[in-house]
């Protein structure tokens, strides 16, 4: 339907041993629907991610995943989405606190901001969830972004996106057709960041034939923002693309950024002047004419000396690939440790020397 809400709460206590991983499955009993999860630790810090295993589609079994957010906030942003063709965006508003929240939701169509009356003054129950079907209220928009603002209280904003549409792809190869049409199909799960930033960093993608990227830049502010896109390196950051993003608008940077290279095949830094933005990276595999993944990872705000990657899965059909990037001016030594599932031990994988700017 258009809008649904729930406040049914189930509590579970689970022990997680030191240096180990625990997997918790949500109940599959009762009617199918939507669920949100709030995780609290009584001692120490933990990393949490979510994954949904679904039926097979054109690309194989659907396994969208997303890291968690660190808490509720007054704002939440979804920087990319589409309702064109058969595409849809299901927006979730979750209030993990003990008091209700009142939320206004605005939707950008790429050039301006609209506030559908049905999305204003939404009451999210305490420990409750409100789900919105954007496709029913925002018609045939090929590029959209969402801004959810809590008038009172605070919320966590997430989205389940399904892409199914015909798009035009410009070819950079000599002698080929200048424009081809591709049927893009894919599913994505994401938790929206709760703040806009002046700089977003994206590590390099796995290099494969036919893989390309597009970055969607959303300006949630009231003034235009100048955005530049550049690959980092030891010699500094030289902007490859620069463009103005209007207030409440969206700008997309597509491949390529230079002859013989693809935007996203290497690490990318997106910087904003005059304001802050929210950025998403969408990855396509053009060779098979389907959308392989809709990766709306919002990047990182800066380098750190320790990272925890929860929820990795390795089996016959799934590989886990970790990318290490050193934006600094000297070589660093990185130790990779695998936290084994259900066992209280660390398994050393290897020690990697990462050169400056690589």
């Amino acid at each position: 339907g258009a809008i649904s809400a729930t406040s049914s709460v189930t509590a579970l206590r689970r022990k997680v041993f030191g240096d180990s991983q625990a997997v918790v499955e949500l109940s599959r009993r009762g009617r199918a629907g939507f669920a949100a999860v709030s995780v609290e630790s009584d001692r120490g810090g933990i990393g949490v991610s979510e994954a949904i295993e679904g039926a097979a589609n054109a690309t194989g079994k659907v396994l969208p995943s997303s890291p968690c957010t660190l808490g509720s906030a007054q704002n939440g942003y979804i920087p990319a989405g589409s309702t064109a063709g058969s595409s849809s965006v299901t927006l979730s508003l979750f209030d993990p606190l003990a008091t209700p929240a009142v939320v206004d939701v605005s939707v950008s169509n790429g050039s301006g901001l609209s506030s559908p009356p049905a999305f204003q003054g939404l009451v999210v129950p305490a420990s409750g969830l409100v789900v919105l079907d954007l496709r029913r209220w925002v018609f045939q928009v090929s590029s959209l972004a969402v801004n959810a603002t809590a008038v009172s209280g605070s919320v966590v904003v997430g989205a389940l996106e399904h892409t199914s549409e015909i798009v035009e792809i410009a070819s950079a190869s000599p002698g080929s057709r200048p424009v081809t049409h591709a049927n893009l199909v894919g599913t994505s799960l994401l938790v929206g960041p709760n703040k806009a930033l002046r700089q977003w960093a994206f590590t390099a993608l796995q290099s494969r034939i036919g893989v390309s990227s597009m970055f969607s830049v959303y300006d949630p502010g009231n003034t235009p923002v100048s955005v530049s896109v550049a690959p980092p390196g030891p010699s500094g950051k030289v902007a490859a693309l620069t463009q103005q993003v209007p207030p409440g608008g969206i700008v997309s940077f597509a491949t390529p950024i230079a002859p013989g290279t693809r935007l996203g095949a290497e690490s990318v830094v997106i910087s904003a002047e005059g304001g802050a933005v929210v950025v998403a990276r969408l990855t396509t595999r053009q060779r098979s004419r389907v959308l392989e993944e809709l990766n709306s990872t919002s990047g990182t705000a800066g380098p750190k000396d320790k990272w925890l990657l929860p929820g990795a899965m390795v089996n016959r059909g799934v590989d886990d690939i970790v990318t290490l990037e050193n934006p600094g001016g000297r070589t660093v030594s990185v130790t990779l440790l695998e936290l084994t599932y259900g066992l209280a031990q660390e398994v050393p994988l290897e020690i990697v020397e990462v050169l400056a700017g690589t």
Side-chain angles (χ1 to χ4, degrees), residues 267-287:
S267 54
V268 169
V269 173
I270 297 180
S271 304
E273 292 186 6
V277 294
V278 185
V279 184
R281 175 169 66 185
L282 291 76
T283 306
T284 60
R285 184 176 63 192
Q286 297 180 9
R287 180 177 57 179

mmCIF file with all atom_site columns, all heavy atoms in Angstrom, residues 267-287:
data_model
loop_
_atom_site.group_PDB
_atom_site.id
_atom_site.type_symbol
_atom_site.label_atom_id
_atom_site.label_alt_id
_atom_site.label_comp_id
_atom_site.label_asym_id
_atom_site.label_entity_id
_atom_site.label_seq_id
_atom_site.pdbx_PDB_ins_code
_atom_site.Cartn_x
_atom_site.Cartn_y
_atom_site.Cartn_z
_atom_site.occupancy
_atom_site.B_iso_or_equiv
_atom_site.pdbx_formal_charge
_atom_site.auth_seq_id
_atom_site.auth_comp_id
_atom_site.auth_asym_id
_atom_site.auth_atom_id
_atom_site.pdbx_PDB_model_num
ATOM 1   N N   . SER A 1 267 ? 40.101 4.884   -7.118  1.00 0.00 ? 267 SER A N   1
ATOM 2   C CA  . SER A 1 267 ? 39.523 5.604   -5.991  1.00 0.00 ? 267 SER A CA  1
ATOM 3   C C   . SER A 1 267 ? 39.142 7.024   -6.408  1.00 0.00 ? 267 SER A C   1
ATOM 4   O O   . SER A 1 267 ? 39.768 7.617   -7.284  1.00 0.00 ? 267 SER A O   1
ATOM 5   C CB  . SER A 1 267 ? 40.516 5.633   -4.832  1.00 0.00 ? 267 SER A CB  1
ATOM 6   O OG  . SER A 1 267 ? 41.755 6.157   -5.258  1.00 0.00 ? 267 SER A OG  1
ATOM 7   N N   . VAL A 1 268 ? 38.111 7.549   -5.760  1.00 0.00 ? 268 VAL A N   1
ATOM 8   C CA  . VAL A 1 268 ? 37.549 8.843   -6.150  1.00 0.00 ? 268 VAL A CA  1
ATOM 9   C C   . VAL A 1 268 ? 37.257 9.662   -4.902  1.00 0.00 ? 268 VAL A C   1
ATOM 10  O O   . VAL A 1 268 ? 36.771 9.132   -3.900  1.00 0.00 ? 268 VAL A O   1
ATOM 11  C CB  . VAL A 1 268 ? 36.251 8.658   -6.973  1.00 0.00 ? 268 VAL A CB  1
ATOM 12  C CG1 . VAL A 1 268 ? 35.515 9.983   -7.141  1.00 0.00 ? 268 VAL A CG1 1
ATOM 13  C CG2 . VAL A 1 268 ? 36.566 8.059   -8.334  1.00 0.00 ? 268 VAL A CG2 1
ATOM 14  N N   . VAL A 1 269 ? 37.552 10.955  -4.958  1.00 0.00 ? 269 VAL A N   1
ATOM 15  C CA  . VAL A 1 269 ? 37.210 11.892  -3.901  1.00 0.00 ? 269 VAL A CA  1
ATOM 16  C C   . VAL A 1 269 ? 36.299 12.966  -4.485  1.00 0.00 ? 269 VAL A C   1
ATOM 17  O O   . VAL A 1 269 ? 36.611 13.559  -5.519  1.00 0.00 ? 269 VAL A O   1
ATOM 18  C CB  . VAL A 1 269 ? 38.460 12.545  -3.274  1.00 0.00 ? 269 VAL A CB  1
ATOM 19  C CG1 . VAL A 1 269 ? 38.055 13.641  -2.292  1.00 0.00 ? 269 VAL A CG1 1
ATOM 20  C CG2 . VAL A 1 269 ? 39.304 11.503  -2.572  1.00 0.00 ? 269 VAL A CG2 1
ATOM 21  N N   . ILE A 1 270 ? 35.153 13.193  -3.851  1.00 0.00 ? 270 ILE A N   1
ATOM 22  C CA  . ILE A 1 270 ? 34.209 14.214  -4.284  1.00 0.00 ? 270 ILE A CA  1
ATOM 23  C C   . ILE A 1 270 ? 34.180 15.304  -3.223  1.00 0.00 ? 270 ILE A C   1
ATOM 24  O O   . ILE A 1 270 ? 33.879 15.048  -2.062  1.00 0.00 ? 270 ILE A O   1
ATOM 25  C CB  . ILE A 1 270 ? 32.807 13.616  -4.499  1.00 0.00 ? 270 ILE A CB  1
ATOM 26  C CG1 . ILE A 1 270 ? 32.866 12.580  -5.638  1.00 0.00 ? 270 ILE A CG1 1
ATOM 27  C CG2 . ILE A 1 270 ? 31.789 14.698  -4.808  1.00 0.00 ? 270 ILE A CG2 1
ATOM 28  C CD1 . ILE A 1 270 ? 31.541 11.927  -5.950  1.00 0.00 ? 270 ILE A CD1 1
ATOM 29  N N   . SER A 1 271 ? 34.521 16.537  -3.638  1.00 0.00 ? 271 SER A N   1
ATOM 30  C CA  . SER A 1 271 ? 34.626 17.667  -2.718  1.00 0.00 ? 271 SER A CA  1
ATOM 31  C C   . SER A 1 271 ? 33.604 18.731  -3.069  1.00 0.00 ? 271 SER A C   1
ATOM 32  O O   . SER A 1 271 ? 33.301 18.944  -4.247  1.00 0.00 ? 271 SER A O   1
ATOM 33  C CB  . SER A 1 271 ? 36.039 18.269  -2.770  1.00 0.00 ? 271 SER A CB  1
ATOM 34  O OG  . SER A 1 271 ? 37.017 17.291  -2.492  1.00 0.00 ? 271 SER A OG  1
ATOM 35  N N   . ALA A 1 272 ? 33.076 19.406  -2.047  1.00 0.00 ? 272 ALA A N   1
ATOM 36  C CA  . ALA A 1 272 ? 32.053 20.437  -2.237  1.00 0.00 ? 272 ALA A CA  1
ATOM 37  C C   . ALA A 1 272 ? 32.540 21.753  -1.656  1.00 0.00 ? 272 ALA A C   1
ATOM 38  O O   . ALA A 1 272 ? 33.157 21.781  -0.591  1.00 0.00 ? 272 ALA A O   1
ATOM 39  C CB  . ALA A 1 272 ? 30.746 20.016  -1.579  1.00 0.00 ? 272 ALA A CB  1
ATOM 40  N N   . GLU A 1 273 ? 32.247 22.847  -2.356  1.00 0.00 ? 273 GLU A N   1
ATOM 41  C CA  . GLU A 1 273 ? 32.552 24.191  -1.880  1.00 0.00 ? 273 GLU A CA  1
ATOM 42  C C   . GLU A 1 273 ? 31.260 24.995  -1.829  1.00 0.00 ? 273 GLU A C   1
ATOM 43  O O   . GLU A 1 273 ? 30.453 24.942  -2.754  1.00 0.00 ? 273 GLU A O   1
ATOM 44  C CB  . GLU A 1 273 ? 33.554 24.883  -2.801  1.00 0.00 ? 273 GLU A CB  1
ATOM 45  C CG  . GLU A 1 273 ? 34.945 24.278  -2.774  1.00 0.00 ? 273 GLU A CG  1
ATOM 46  C CD  . GLU A 1 273 ? 35.930 25.078  -3.597  1.00 0.00 ? 273 GLU A CD  1
ATOM 47  O OE1 . GLU A 1 273 ? 35.537 26.157  -4.085  1.00 0.00 ? 273 GLU A OE1 1
ATOM 48  O OE2 . GLU A 1 273 ? 37.078 24.629  -3.755  1.00 0.00 ? 273 GLU A OE2 1
ATOM 49  N N   . GLY A 1 274 ? 31.071 25.747  -0.739  1.00 0.00 ? 274 GLY A N   1
ATOM 50  C CA  . GLY A 1 274 ? 29.868 26.553  -0.588  1.00 0.00 ? 274 GLY A CA  1
ATOM 51  C C   . GLY A 1 274 ? 28.738 25.831  0.104   1.00 0.00 ? 274 GLY A C   1
ATOM 52  O O   . GLY A 1 274 ? 27.638 26.371  0.225   1.00 0.00 ? 274 GLY A O   1
ATOM 53  N N   . GLY A 1 275 ? 28.979 24.612  0.568   1.00 0.00 ? 275 GLY A N   1
ATOM 54  C CA  . GLY A 1 275 ? 27.939 23.839  1.236   1.00 0.00 ? 275 GLY A CA  1
ATOM 55  C C   . GLY A 1 275 ? 28.360 22.395  1.377   1.00 0.00 ? 275 GLY A C   1
ATOM 56  O O   . GLY A 1 275 ? 29.509 22.030  1.120   1.00 0.00 ? 275 GLY A O   1
ATOM 57  N N   . ALA A 1 276 ? 27.424 21.541  1.775   1.00 0.00 ? 276 ALA A N   1
ATOM 58  C CA  . ALA A 1 276 ? 27.698 20.115  1.966   1.00 0.00 ? 276 ALA A CA  1
ATOM 59  C C   . ALA A 1 276 ? 26.727 19.303  1.111   1.00 0.00 ? 276 ALA A C   1
ATOM 60  O O   . ALA A 1 276 ? 25.621 19.763  0.798   1.00 0.00 ? 276 ALA A O   1
ATOM 61  C CB  . ALA A 1 276 ? 27.565 19.727  3.433   1.00 0.00 ? 276 ALA A CB  1
ATOM 62  N N   . VAL A 1 277 ? 27.123 18.100  0.743   1.00 0.00 ? 277 VAL A N   1
ATOM 63  C CA  . VAL A 1 277 ? 26.320 17.260  -0.140  1.00 0.00 ? 277 VAL A CA  1
ATOM 64  C C   . VAL A 1 277 ? 26.268 15.831  0.405   1.00 0.00 ? 277 VAL A C   1
ATOM 65  O O   . VAL A 1 277 ? 27.007 15.464  1.320   1.00 0.00 ? 277 VAL A O   1
ATOM 66  C CB  . VAL A 1 277 ? 26.896 17.247  -1.577  1.00 0.00 ? 277 VAL A CB  1
ATOM 67  C CG1 . VAL A 1 277 ? 26.788 18.623  -2.216  1.00 0.00 ? 277 VAL A CG1 1
ATOM 68  C CG2 . VAL A 1 277 ? 28.350 16.763  -1.572  1.00 0.00 ? 277 VAL A CG2 1
ATOM 69  N N   . VAL A 1 278 ? 25.377 15.029  -0.191  1.00 0.00 ? 278 VAL A N   1
ATOM 70  C CA  . VAL A 1 278 ? 25.281 13.598  0.084   1.00 0.00 ? 278 VAL A CA  1
ATOM 71  C C   . VAL A 1 278 ? 25.502 12.877  -1.237  1.00 0.00 ? 278 VAL A C   1
ATOM 72  O O   . VAL A 1 278 ? 24.908 13.259  -2.250  1.00 0.00 ? 278 VAL A O   1
ATOM 73  C CB  . VAL A 1 278 ? 23.914 13.221  0.684   1.00 0.00 ? 278 VAL A CB  1
ATOM 74  C CG1 . VAL A 1 278 ? 23.897 11.750  1.059   1.00 0.00 ? 278 VAL A CG1 1
ATOM 75  C CG2 . VAL A 1 278 ? 23.596 14.085  1.892   1.00 0.00 ? 278 VAL A CG2 1
ATOM 76  N N   . VAL A 1 279 ? 26.337 11.846  -1.242  1.00 0.00 ? 279 VAL A N   1
ATOM 77  C CA  . VAL A 1 279 ? 26.765 11.216  -2.489  1.00 0.00 ? 279 VAL A CA  1
ATOM 78  C C   . VAL A 1 279 ? 26.497 9.716   -2.454  1.00 0.00 ? 279 VAL A C   1
ATOM 79  O O   . VAL A 1 279 ? 26.664 9.066   -1.421  1.00 0.00 ? 279 VAL A O   1
ATOM 80  C CB  . VAL A 1 279 ? 28.264 11.466  -2.745  1.00 0.00 ? 279 VAL A CB  1
ATOM 81  C CG1 . VAL A 1 279 ? 28.681 10.878  -4.094  1.00 0.00 ? 279 VAL A CG1 1
ATOM 82  C CG2 . VAL A 1 279 ? 28.573 12.958  -2.704  1.00 0.00 ? 279 VAL A CG2 1
ATOM 83  N N   . ALA A 1 280 ? 26.091 9.169   -3.595  1.00 0.00 ? 280 ALA A N   1
ATOM 84  C CA  . ALA A 1 280 ? 25.921 7.728   -3.759  1.00 0.00 ? 280 ALA A CA  1
ATOM 85  C C   . ALA A 1 280 ? 26.675 7.267   -4.996  1.00 0.00 ? 280 ALA A C   1
ATOM 86  O O   . ALA A 1 280 ? 26.801 8.017   -5.966  1.00 0.00 ? 280 ALA A O   1
ATOM 87  C CB  . ALA A 1 280 ? 24.450 7.359   -3.895  1.00 0.00 ? 280 ALA A CB  1
ATOM 88  N N   . ARG A 1 281 ? 27.194 6.046   -4.959  1.00 0.00 ? 281 ARG A N   1
ATOM 89  C CA  . ARG A 1 281 ? 27.850 5.457   -6.121  1.00 0.00 ? 281 ARG A CA  1
ATOM 90  C C   . ARG A 1 281 ? 27.013 4.310   -6.649  1.00 0.00 ? 281 ARG A C   1
ATOM 91  O O   . ARG A 1 281 ? 26.664 3.388   -5.913  1.00 0.00 ? 281 ARG A O   1
ATOM 92  C CB  . ARG A 1 281 ? 29.250 4.955   -5.772  1.00 0.00 ? 281 ARG A CB  1
ATOM 93  C CG  . ARG A 1 281 ? 29.925 4.230   -6.947  1.00 0.00 ? 281 ARG A CG  1
ATOM 94  C CD  . ARG A 1 281 ? 31.393 3.971   -6.700  1.00 0.00 ? 281 ARG A CD  1
ATOM 95  N NE  . ARG A 1 281 ? 31.633 3.041   -5.609  1.00 0.00 ? 281 ARG A NE  1
ATOM 96  C CZ  . ARG A 1 281 ? 32.850 2.733   -5.155  1.00 0.00 ? 281 ARG A CZ  1
ATOM 97  N NH1 . ARG A 1 281 ? 33.924 3.299   -5.687  1.00 0.00 ? 281 ARG A NH1 1
ATOM 98  N NH2 . ARG A 1 281 ? 33.003 1.876   -4.165  1.00 0.00 ? 281 ARG A NH2 1
ATOM 99  N N   . LEU A 1 282 ? 26.659 4.354   -7.929  1.00 0.00 ? 282 LEU A N   1
ATOM 100 C CA  . LEU A 1 282 ? 25.895 3.292   -8.572  1.00 0.00 ? 282 LEU A CA  1
ATOM 101 C C   . LEU A 1 282 ? 26.806 2.553   -9.529  1.00 0.00 ? 282 LEU A C   1
ATOM 102 O O   . LEU A 1 282 ? 27.476 3.166   -10.358 1.00 0.00 ? 282 LEU A O   1
ATOM 103 C CB  . LEU A 1 282 ? 24.694 3.858   -9.332  1.00 0.00 ? 282 LEU A CB  1
ATOM 104 C CG  . LEU A 1 282 ? 23.553 4.440   -8.492  1.00 0.00 ? 282 LEU A CG  1
ATOM 105 C CD1 . LEU A 1 282 ? 23.933 5.815   -7.940  1.00 0.00 ? 282 LEU A CD1 1
ATOM 106 C CD2 . LEU A 1 282 ? 22.288 4.571   -9.326  1.00 0.00 ? 282 LEU A CD2 1
ATOM 107 N N   . THR A 1 283 ? 26.852 1.244   -9.428  1.00 0.00 ? 283 THR A N   1
ATOM 108 C CA  . THR A 1 283 ? 27.744 0.427   -10.237 1.00 0.00 ? 283 THR A CA  1
ATOM 109 C C   . THR A 1 283 ? 26.947 -0.435  -11.203 1.00 0.00 ? 283 THR A C   1
ATOM 110 O O   . THR A 1 283 ? 26.005 -1.107  -10.797 1.00 0.00 ? 283 THR A O   1
ATOM 111 C CB  . THR A 1 283 ? 28.604 -0.478  -9.338  1.00 0.00 ? 283 THR A CB  1
ATOM 112 O OG1 . THR A 1 283 ? 29.262 0.329   -8.366  1.00 0.00 ? 283 THR A OG1 1
ATOM 113 C CG2 . THR A 1 283 ? 29.633 -1.235  -10.146 1.00 0.00 ? 283 THR A CG2 1
ATOM 114 N N   . THR A 1 284 ? 27.325 -0.407  -12.483 1.00 0.00 ? 284 THR A N   1
ATOM 115 C CA  . THR A 1 284 ? 26.630 -1.214  -13.482 1.00 0.00 ? 284 THR A CA  1
ATOM 116 C C   . THR A 1 284 ? 27.609 -2.128  -14.211 1.00 0.00 ? 284 THR A C   1
ATOM 117 O O   . THR A 1 284 ? 28.788 -1.811  -14.359 1.00 0.00 ? 284 THR A O   1
ATOM 118 C CB  . THR A 1 284 ? 25.920 -0.330  -14.529 1.00 0.00 ? 284 THR A CB  1
ATOM 119 O OG1 . THR A 1 284 ? 26.890 0.473   -15.199 1.00 0.00 ? 284 THR A OG1 1
ATOM 120 C CG2 . THR A 1 284 ? 24.895 0.562   -13.866 1.00 0.00 ? 284 THR A CG2 1
ATOM 121 N N   . ARG A 1 285 ? 27.101 -3.249  -14.652 1.00 0.00 ? 285 ARG A N   1
ATOM 122 C CA  . ARG A 1 285 ? 27.862 -4.156  -15.507 1.00 0.00 ? 285 ARG A CA  1
ATOM 123 C C   . ARG A 1 285 ? 27.203 -4.114  -16.875 1.00 0.00 ? 285 ARG A C   1
ATOM 124 O O   . ARG A 1 285 ? 26.201 -4.775  -17.130 1.00 0.00 ? 285 ARG A O   1
ATOM 125 C CB  . ARG A 1 285 ? 27.850 -5.572  -14.941 1.00 0.00 ? 285 ARG A CB  1
ATOM 126 C CG  . ARG A 1 285 ? 28.723 -6.540  -15.744 1.00 0.00 ? 285 ARG A CG  1
ATOM 127 C CD  . ARG A 1 285 ? 28.766 -7.903  -15.088 1.00 0.00 ? 285 ARG A CD  1
ATOM 128 N NE  . ARG A 1 285 ? 27.451 -8.525  -15.050 1.00 0.00 ? 285 ARG A NE  1
ATOM 129 C CZ  . ARG A 1 285 ? 27.154 -9.598  -14.346 1.00 0.00 ? 285 ARG A CZ  1
ATOM 130 N NH1 . ARG A 1 285 ? 28.088 -10.142 -13.591 1.00 0.00 ? 285 ARG A NH1 1
ATOM 131 N NH2 . ARG A 1 285 ? 25.952 -10.124 -14.368 1.00 0.00 ? 285 ARG A NH2 1
ATOM 132 N N   . GLN A 1 286 ? 27.772 -3.343  -17.779 1.00 0.00 ? 286 GLN A N   1
ATOM 133 C CA  . GLN A 1 286 ? 27.127 -3.088  -19.063 1.00 0.00 ? 286 GLN A CA  1
ATOM 134 C C   . GLN A 1 286 ? 27.180 -4.273  -20.013 1.00 0.00 ? 286 GLN A C   1
ATOM 135 O O   . GLN A 1 286 ? 26.347 -4.409  -20.890 1.00 0.00 ? 286 GLN A O   1
ATOM 136 C CB  . GLN A 1 286 ? 27.765 -1.866  -19.733 1.00 0.00 ? 286 GLN A CB  1
ATOM 137 C CG  . GLN A 1 286 ? 27.591 -0.581  -18.932 1.00 0.00 ? 286 GLN A CG  1
ATOM 138 C CD  . GLN A 1 286 ? 28.220 0.605   -19.615 1.00 0.00 ? 286 GLN A CD  1
ATOM 139 O OE1 . GLN A 1 286 ? 28.657 0.530   -20.752 1.00 0.00 ? 286 GLN A OE1 1
ATOM 140 N NE2 . GLN A 1 286 ? 28.275 1.710   -18.915 1.00 0.00 ? 286 GLN A NE2 1
ATOM 141 N N   . ARG A 1 287 ? 28.142 -5.164  -19.818 1.00 0.00 ? 287 ARG A N   1
ATOM 142 C CA  . ARG A 1 287 ? 28.301 -6.267  -20.772 1.00 0.00 ? 287 ARG A CA  1
ATOM 143 C C   . ARG A 1 287 ? 27.066 -7.143  -20.831 1.00 0.00 ? 287 ARG A C   1
ATOM 144 O O   . ARG A 1 287 ? 26.630 -7.573  -21.893 1.00 0.00 ? 287 ARG A O   1
ATOM 145 C CB  . ARG A 1 287 ? 29.520 -7.105  -20.390 1.00 0.00 ? 287 ARG A CB  1
ATOM 146 C CG  . ARG A 1 287 ? 29.771 -8.287  -21.322 1.00 0.00 ? 287 ARG A CG  1
ATOM 147 C CD  . ARG A 1 287 ? 31.022 -9.023  -20.925 1.00 0.00 ? 287 ARG A CD  1
ATOM 148 N NE  . ARG A 1 287 ? 30.961 -9.487  -19.538 1.00 0.00 ? 287 ARG A NE  1
ATOM 149 C CZ  . ARG A 1 287 ? 31.932 -10.169 -18.966 1.00 0.00 ? 287 ARG A CZ  1
ATOM 150 N NH1 . ARG A 1 287 ? 33.046 -10.424 -19.619 1.00 0.00 ? 287 ARG A NH1 1
ATOM 151 N NH2 . ARG A 1 287 ? 31.806 -10.573 -17.708 1.00 0.00 ? 287 ARG A NH2 1
#
